Amino acid sequence: SVLPTQVVAALSALRERSQFGGPDDLVFCDDGKPLDEDSTRRELVAGCEKAGVPRLGFHSFRRYFATQAKAKKMDSDDIRRAMGHAGGMTYQYTAEDLDRRRPFAQAIADDLFEEAK
């Protein structure tokens, strides 16, 4: 997986607090069912308000990742693959690809979590 350690820890903690914590259960769910787009967007808006930050959409997070990955000099093919923009699905499952992307994803998360302190 390319997921940074902080993200894995946060998702694991979320799953542990949930009544839906089995290996086949969803991490983000409502009564064990996937969250729908509207309710997820409402949660994001409420979270932004609570944090005192401008209202964001999910595309903002994709743009942030792409911008930070480029600034950290991640290979452009890897950025496109991480964003799901290029190549076939086969490329997203190669170990070489994941190993090459992992340090960049980790560095981006390190910066983000450091700023949140």
Side-chain angles (χ1 to χ4, degrees), residues 9-110:
L11 291 173
S12 295
L14 182 62
R15 176 168 271 182
E16 287 174 16
R17 292 191 309 265
S18 172
Q19 64 178 338
F20 304 102
D24 295 328
D25 289 333
L26 300 170
V27 175
F28 301 105
C29 62
D30 183 19
D31 293 327
K33 298 179 183 126
L35 294 173
D36 65 63
E37 185 177 346
D38 290 334
S39 64
T40 304
R41 188 177 296 111
R42 283 192 299 274
E43 291 290 329
L44 177 59
V45 168
C48 288
E49 288 175 7
K50 183 177 180 181
V53 299
R55 186 175 178 169
L56 299 170
F58 288 105
H59 194 76
S60 299
F61 296 108
R62 292 176 57 78
R63 184 175 289 120
Y64 176 82
F65 175 83
T67 301
Q68 292 302 308
K70 184 176 181 184
K72 293 185 182 310
K73 308 228 184 296
M74 185 179 197
D75 183 83
S76 61
D77 284 336
D78 289 339
I79 295 171
R80 283 193 296 271
R81 289 181 185 132
M83 301 292 294
H85 291 164
M89 289 298 288
T90 305
Y91 294 119
Q92 295 184 21
Y93 293 102
T94 62
E96 177 187 23
D97 180 54
L98 294 177
D99 290 341
R100 207 173 46 240
R101 286 190 284 158
R102 187 175 291 112
F104 293 99
Q106 185 64 55
I108 291 167
D110 289 345

Side-chain angles (χ1 to χ4, degrees), residues 6 61 64 106-117:
Q6 300 95 326
F61 296 108
Y64 176 82
Q106 185 64 55
I108 291 167
D110 289 345
D111 290 349
L112 189 59
F113 278 78
E114 182 62 32
E115 288 179 21
K117 287 183 181 177

